[in-house]
Amino acid sequence: AVILVGGQGDVKYADIIKDGLTRKYLDLCGKPDLLQVAAVLKRSRIYIGSDSGLGHIASAVSTPTISLFGVGSPERYRPWGRQSVWIRGADNDTRNISVAQVMERLHSHLQQPVPTRQGV
């Protein structure tokens, strides 16, 4: 299943994503506060999203992350952690990141062993 998280301003983008999903989803955009989002991310198998604070929260709670970068510098601003990877769009534009690139990185990320988390 897919969980969509983001602020109130992300609701319109979540609607676009939902239209293309073929699997079950839960849309939490604009609903939970950051502590609740952190709890959701901690229980998630992976986080995929733009270069934003949510990727850093996911990494902080030991959730594997794939961060999508455009103009930002992933070498400096990516979420840090052994399970955090990034993809930079050609010409520093996230619109140049293909679904195939994300899926390739996702499949390789999911094949890695999931570390044991304390308390879960």
Side-chain angles (χ1 to χ4, degrees), residues 15-92:
D15 288 341
I16 294 168
I17 292 169
K18 290 186 299 191
D19 287 343
L21 290 175
T22 58
R23 51 180 61 227
K24 292 180 182 180
Y25 65 86
L26 175 62
D27 181 3
L28 297 178
C29 283
K31 297 173 185 161
D33 62 35
L34 287 178
L35 286 176
Q36 292 167 324
V37 169
V40 168
L41 291 172
K42 184 175 179 76
R43 303 285 299 183
S44 298
R45 177 89 192 270
I46 194 162
Y47 168 84
I48 302 172
S50 64
D51 167 34
S52 71
L54 292 178
H56 292 276
I57 292 172
S59 183
V61 297
S62 300
T63 298
T65 66
I66 299 174
S67 297
L68 310 177
F69 275 82
V71 295
S73 173
E75 297 84 4
R76 183 171 185 183
Y77 298 113
R78 72 180 185 270
W80 293 92
R82 7 177 243 148
Q83 297 184 83
S84 297
V85 298
W86 52 271
I87 302 170
R88 184 190 327 221
D91 299 323
N92 295 326

Side-chain angles (χ1 to χ4, degrees), residues 6-14 29-30:
Q8 191 62 42
D10 296 315
V11 170
K12 62 184 174 186
Y13 302 112
C29 283

